[in-house]
Amino acid sequence: MTETLFTPFTAGAIEMANRVVMAPLTRNRADDDTGEVGELHVDYYRQRAGAGLIVSEATQISPQGKGYIATPGIHSDGQVAAWRRVTDAVHAAGGRIVVQLWHVGRISHVDLQPGGAAPVSSSARPAGVKTFTREGFVETSAPRALEQGDIAGIVADYAHAAACAKKAGFDGVEIHAANGYLIEQFLKDGCNDRGDAYGGSAENRARFLYEVVEAVLSVWEPGRVGIRLSPFSPANGISESDPMALYVPVIERLNGHGLSYLHMVEGATGGERYGEYDALRALWHGPYMGNNGYDRALAEERLASGAVDMVAFGRPFIANPDLVERLRADAPLAEGDRKTWYGGGAEGYTDYPALEKA
């Protein structure tokens, strides 16, 4: 049988009813003080449980990991209990959900950091981009370069957040190592100018990533741990002079862990598809999730060729809670209202109708 978007698939230990994945989407609707999700989130994720797998919105591993107003965490008892209502709802609707573990690094502002401290990064280089605070969109604050002795504490935060995710009932976790956030701030030479064991060579720059992966694997079985990479993307002001020299050995080493999947941003995040992502995909031994600019036709074409095993759709899930059924019927997709993407209440979040009601 020809594999299509609508055939079942097993990614590691995660059994999926279809190959449509809901990509992580930051929507800025958590409680800004506690980092807890609420009843709106329960409805939002339940509505989208027809996806073979939901990857939650990026969720910070610690108070220091926060970079935008009203984003959720997965490091406190209250956050665990709040997320449990979401995972229970998704499971009751027949879905699967993993949480994306996030530390933003330098993509933050002193107003969002505990005690008004400077954000942290691999180096003290400012990002030169904006973030979202109570004052609106503002320039990110200049970061502090992490001392080598600080790094083990952040690795431990990843393990703690992974344990919290297990308590919250998630089916697994995705390590966010893409889009210019902390792990990528170590990986890419356009940010990392360290002179110690975490800087310089590609191998040294990947050391933090490997330590995070091993910390998460101390909590979860490999078949329930995915990872997201964006080798060619300039997201959040970051660059890499030789992506293949960096990511070929990264992929080869990650192969040894037997992870649930590799989630690859193919090209520029939310932009043009470019770069040698298919060459990297060819090196990967496990399930592969393609992301960036997919529509139904491209998804089916790349599934049929074996280029992907699963396809992550992001923005289409905002206005199409029943996206899988719309794709199956080759029906028109609703357009989301950009004004309600970030922040607010139910409007533009849980009030988009399913196809039969539209």
Side-chain angles (χ1 to χ4, degrees), residues 6 296 324-331 355:
F6 314 108
R296 187 182 192 273
V324 175
E325 292 312 311
R326 291 189 190 230
L327 292 172
R328 195 192 306 270
D330 204 9
L355 183 62

Side-chain angles (χ1 to χ4, degrees), residues 16-325:
M16 301 164 50
N18 57 69
R19 296 161 186 261
V20 178
V21 178
M22 178 176 164
L25 293 162
T26 293
R27 304 298 306 277
N28 305 89
R29 282 167 167 85
D31 185 294
D32 192 51
D33 294 318
T34 66
E36 294 173 13
V37 294
E39 287 307 308
L40 273 179
H41 296 80
V42 175
D43 291 341
Y44 172 76
Y45 284 109
R46 181 199 290 119
Q47 288 171 355
R48 289 154 180 81
L53 179 66
I54 294 171
V55 183
S56 81
E57 61 205 274
T59 301
Q60 52 253 8
I61 62 165
S62 67
Q64 182 197 68
K66 182 177 179 178
Y68 305 82
I69 192 175
T71 50
I74 186 67
H75 52 83
S76 75
D77 290 344
Q79 292 162 2
V80 167
W83 274 117
R84 186 81 206 204
R85 294 193 292 274
V86 171
T87 62
D88 284 349
V90 169
H91 293 150
R96 299 287 182 268
I97 182 169
V98 299
V99 65
Q100 189 185 61
L101 301 178
W102 192 31
H103 191 307
V104 301
R106 68 180 184 172
I107 309 302
S108 189
H109 189 273
V110 292
D111 288 354
L112 299 167
Q113 289 291 303
V120 299
S121 185
S122 60
S123 305
R125 297 185 187 186
V129 299
K130 292 186 182 295
T131 190
F132 191 33
T133 73
R134 292 184 182 185
E135 306 304 316
F137 282 97
V138 299
E139 192 87 7
T140 51
S141 299
R144 167 178 74 84
L146 283 160
E147 300 289 336
Q148 189 163 339
D150 296 333
I151 293 173
I154 295 179
V155 172
D157 288 340
Y158 274 95
H160 172 69
C164 288
K166 188 171 276 192
K167 292 178 188 172
F170 285 98
D171 295 290
V173 298
E174 178 178 290
I175 298 168
H176 195 352
N179 294 354
Y181 296 116
L182 182 63
I183 294 176
E184 206 173 73
Q185 290 161 32
F186 276 85
L187 279 169
K188 291 189 173 180
D189 60 13
C191 178
N192 186 340
D193 58 13
R194 301 177 71 92
D196 62 8
Y198 292 88
S201 68
E203 182 180 7
N204 279 359
R205 285 182 277 123
R207 187 183 306 274
F208 178 60
L209 167 65
Y210 300 145
E211 290 179 355
V212 169
V213 170
E214 286 161 11
V216 173
L217 289 175
S218 73
V219 178
W220 285 91
E221 63 175 285
R224 294 190 178 276
V225 177
I227 191 163
R228 191 185 207 198
L229 301 176
S230 58
F232 309 101
S233 180
N236 281 315
I238 209 159
S239 61
E240 166 56 39
S241 63
D242 192 344
M244 295 302 282
L246 172 61
Y247 282 93
V248 166
V250 165
I251 298 288
E252 289 173 339
R253 179 149 172 181
L254 291 175
N255 271 329
H257 289 298
L259 300 180
S260 173
Y261 61 81
L262 169 62
H263 181 180
M264 181 80 81
V265 178
E266 298 171 342
T269 306
E272 188 181 347
R273 294 175 57 83
Y274 60 77
E276 298 169 85
Y277 49 83
D278 278 335
L280 293 176
R281 189 270 179 273
L283 299 174
W284 177 247
H285 297 164
Y288 178 88
M289 183 190 302
N291 178 307
N292 201 31
Y294 276 86
D295 57 15
R296 187 182 192 273
L298 181 61
E300 292 287 18
E301 174 191 322
R302 285 178 60 77
L303 268 169
S305 72
V308 301
D309 299 304
M310 305 164 278
V311 176
F313 293 85
R315 292 175 186 173
F317 262 111
I318 292 176
N320 300 277
D322 57 341
L323 180 64
V324 175
E325 292 312 311

